[in-house]
Amino acid sequence: MDVYSKQLTQLWDADVIVVGSGSAGSSAAIAAARSGADTILVERFGFLGGTSTQVLDTFYGFYTPGSVAYKVVGGVPDDVVARLKKYNAAFERPNTYGAGTGVTYDPYILRITWEQLAQEAGVRLLYHSFCTDVIRDGDRITGVIVNGKRGLMKLTARVVIDCTGDADVSHQAGAPYERAGDIDPAQTLTTTFRMIHVDIERAKAFGKKAMWEKMEEATATGNYDLPRKEGSWHITPHEGVIHTIMTRIADVDATDPVALTNAEIEGRRQTLEYARFLQDYVPGFENARLSWLCAPIGVRETRRIYGRYRLTREDCLTARKFDDAVAACGAPIEDHHGGSDTKWEYLPDGMTYDIPYRALLPTEVDGLLVAGRCFSATHDAHASCRAMA
């Protein structure tokens, strides 16, 4: 076994380090800085937003589904949406599957919005830097080691918040976790794509159920490889441009770079198949052209920590409340399992459950918080509370 050593350069010291700038990480950093904490936000790409700016274009979970749309999310997310609307880059629309009113936005303007709000709060941004390891003093994490163009560098702080989505910091710190697929089948991955020059009115009039029937018909010919026989497309802030959630790549450990590489390639292969299907079978897509693919692939589930409390399916579906609640969620359980369909289970009409603070606290490591889709929840509960809002 080779041993590698290197002298570390201290870059910054702060009160809080947030690793990963998705919806959870950007919100955490903005909130921490607004509260007066000297805050660093580390991001491996050159912009903020994670899945919200790389893969998707709609926030779900702001509102409960059902007969009445109750708004259940506020705070920093409200500021994000308000800034997007100021730029005329967001609107609200019903969800295709009844998951509640969604806030659809321009992901490129959202990149700017996250960055503006972070800078206005005083967050120190560090792009193009990947968390490679952690620094520990006994049971307490005291910093992280990041790798980038300048090589390995050390960041130290009183508190580290793991918002990597994959629990990368927790993994390096030795915090216990469940890896998706070890107990329950892991949720599938999706390469989202956009098409331009779509006749929106004709395509909407055709309807999703007719499109699903055509997916079955096209697959039966043997000329199309469509693993998911449903999927959806929706309008965007741009005329004639639609965004899709259709491809499906199953049985992937997205913490394995070899497996993830193969998934990226397969997702792009499926994109061409679904785009060809839409052009050939769905009215309004005859003149449409593929214009954009997400990068990286959309990952729903990898590592989930074992926290001081673990949110369960029963907690979600019974709308359980907690004394140490830090958030509320009314989103349904949306399980993108392997196969051709998706499993949906809904909360009681208009109800929400709480996410307790204890679920953000990993066991066996002090000085570490975890937010976003890697926090402490079972597979079923995670399929609800992973919603970005």
Side-chain angles (χ1 to χ4, degrees), residues 61-103:
F62 271 87
Y63 299 90
T64 59
S67 57
V68 179
Y70 294 105
K71 187 172 180 296
V72 296
V73 173
V76 172
D78 272 350
D79 296 337
V80 172
V81 174
R83 186 69 60 91
L84 286 166
K85 289 182 175 179
K86 173 185 173 183
Y87 291 127
N88 196 30
F91 61 92
E92 296 181 358
R93 63 177 180 84
N95 173 255
T96 304
Y97 293 90
T101 302
V103 181

Side-chain angles (χ1 to χ4, degrees), residues 44-225:
R44 62 182 174 134
F45 293 101
F47 53 87
L48 303 180
T51 295
S52 73
T53 54
Q54 297 171 12
V55 181
L56 298 178
D57 72 340
T58 299
F59 293 124
Y60 294 119
F62 271 87
Y63 299 90
T64 59
S67 57
V68 179
Y70 294 105
K71 187 172 180 296
V72 296
V73 173
V76 172
D78 272 350
D79 296 337
V80 172
V81 174
R83 186 69 60 91
L84 286 166
K85 289 182 175 179
K86 173 185 173 183
Y87 291 127
N88 196 30
F91 61 92
E92 296 181 358
R93 63 177 180 84
N95 173 255
T96 304
Y97 293 90
T101 302
V103 181
T104 293
Y105 52 82
D106 183 324
Y108 299 106
I109 300 300
L110 180 56
R111 293 182 185 186
I112 298 169
T113 295
W114 280 126
E115 193 169 73
Q116 287 177 340
L117 292 173
Q119 289 188 303
E120 289 166 9
V123 177
R124 286 192 275 173
L125 301 176
L126 182 62
Y127 291 145
H128 303 293
S129 298
F130 193 93
C131 178
T132 304
D133 208 343
V134 301
I135 304 164
R136 286 183 61 159
D137 182 5
D139 291 335
R140 187 171 190 86
I141 184 171
T142 59
V144 297
I145 298 170
V146 297
N147 197 5
K149 296 292 186 182
R150 286 168 58 180
L152 299 177
M153 296 185 294
K154 180 171 67 173
L155 302 170
T156 54
R158 263 54 72 197
V159 174
V160 176
I161 308 179
D162 184 351
C163 296
T164 60
D166 298 323
D168 291 337
V169 178
S170 302
H171 169 69
Q172 296 293 344
Y177 59 82
E178 177 190 341
R179 187 176 58 186
D182 284 350
I183 299 175
D184 300 290
Q187 293 207 59
T188 55
L189 287 68
T190 295
T191 298
T192 58
F193 63 91
R194 287 188 167 201
M195 298 188 78
I196 59 175
H197 305 313
V198 179
D199 186 330
I200 302 293
E201 293 309 313
R202 287 181 63 225
K204 287 174 67 175
F206 189 66
K208 66 179 182 182
K209 291 184 178 179
M211 181 179 71
W212 296 347
E213 291 172 358
K214 288 295 183 182
M215 285 181 173
E216 296 281 1
E217 180 183 325
T219 301
T221 68
N223 296 322
Y224 300 83
D225 181 10

